[in-house]
Amino acid sequence: MRIGLLTEGGYPYVSGDARLWCDRLVRGLGQHEFDIYALSRSERQEDEGWIQLPPQVSRVRTAPLWMAEDDGVVYGRRARRRFAEAYGELAAAVCEGPGSGVAAVGAGASGDAGAARGSVSSGDAGVGAAGVSGGVEADRFGSALYELAELARDEGGLIGALRSEGAVRALERACRAPGALRTARAARVPDLLAVAAHFERALRPLSLDWYEGDGLDSVDLCHATAGGTAALPGLLARHFSGVPLLVTEYGVPLRAHYLASASVGDAPAARALLAAFHGRLTAEVYRAAALITPGNTHARRWQERCGADRAKLRTVYPGMEASRFAEVGEGAESSGCADPDTLVWVGRIEPAKDLMSLLHSFAEIRKDEPKTRLRIVGAPADGPDGATYLAHCKALAAQLFPDEAEGVHAVGDNPVSFEEIGGPEVPGLPEAYASGAVIVLSSVVEGFPISLVEAMFCGRATVSTDVGAVVEVIGGTGLVVPPRNPRALAEACVALLRDPERRERLGAAARARALELFTVEQNITAFHGIYLEIVSHSPVRHVLVDEAGEPLPFGVPAEAHVPGRWTEARLMPTGRPRWAAGSPVRATVPVPAGEGA
């Protein structure tokens, strides 16, 4: 079948989100044909180029989200009226409240609830309408969204209209209308300008030429690798051509927006309106999707709170390459680790990883186990904040642990080391995990803990904080403690450092669990079945023809012709089936002797 793979800021570019798992998925499903529709996030990402694509990728179409040129179309009176009505409806749906509370979404999730709450509960309960609500508001938003897309298809000029003064005035009227969010009614002109600019950037996919003329209208299935803006082309392909949409979310974009908005200096009115917009868009994506595949139960809970239908949800764990860790994992079962007195932390250095608590915890560990060492392996996150946080961590380590020496003639050394992958001590990730007895994860916010799964592949015992999908991933094969609790983290680490047999048992169990649940093979198998399930429920929409204009044999997948939900499990009757009841019947009528000549 022909799959339209929709990405934002990732595959097929060299850098970005979801690049690895998309590449593994495409390469693993060589029996299908893939068309890539990619939205880029920056000029730098485009300049870096693409990764090498497999032969099953038949085409790649890209569009920048970081810039958009006005096509110069000037609307006439009728087109201006269409835009004013559609954009006014969209703004009214965003501003209308209160719906189902976003405070419940932010506060009810585990692990990162505090951070989410800070970004979505400012102002009043009216911000609750920024969450996903059903009913009239959701219908108004979806109808207005598709009307804007039809206007862009029929007339063009949508970029200029979204940047116009009329758009800002329509947003202002919606904010001042009776029944609008109380926080939105306080929006000032700078807030309205900022929100209108954000709407324009988010709605740029509506103006693309991807939806007709052998574009997304010709694929059998759209697979969006994220929700939000990445799924917008899939929404329009479904609206214009009836193409079914599959949405995969390994990190929920709406959750990411809530967390990110806590760290910006936007006014409460702007935050409320942006949260409302993303909430309505998420609701429409979930409503239109044929199936939604969260990457873990933590993401699934967010999706359910954001309005996703449980019947559409299929949890598919990310597929990770286990073979690169095979040597370390198999060796752990016989030879143990390189240093039984070493703790190892691996990841991207940023505030969410809470290395400050880890360092304070290590100070407690050293009181009970003075020979213990801590290796922090990773690079700082992009931007100045990552480098600043790394500098703070190094300063704290120097303060807590002055250089030590075994004798008066020995060179002093710090028990905490900061290293990066690729150096002489740590040439690769397998060597990083192999260098210690216990792998530690100290995060206060986490989605799917990739470093934890890698440690499991290596057969290492782990101590982790209870955030995100950690408990679901570890499944009883490691120790879990509350976040921001250095004492609890220290006690768990000391318990494993003092008990090598327990470490070995937990490491072996962790490796077995990871090989069962988190490999590339299981991920590819799951998506292959989901593709067949979705296409089997979709009507044949078009007839493919060859160069001579004749119908192309087998141009439509056979699964598209199978009626009913053939992929569902059904109870089979016991004993003989009904068609086997009664007396046996001859297959042919015997021919009397002499008549066969």
Side-chain angles (χ1 to χ4, degrees), residues 400-416:
L400 292 175
F401 312 102
D403 289 349
E404 302 173 352
E406 295 182 359
V408 294
H409 300 292
V411 178
D413 188 20
N414 195 297
V416 179

Side-chain angles (χ1 to χ4, degrees), residues 576-592:
R576 287 196 304 174
R578 284 176 295 178
W579 52 262
S583 303
V585 179
R586 288 184 180 272
T588 58
V589 178
V591 179

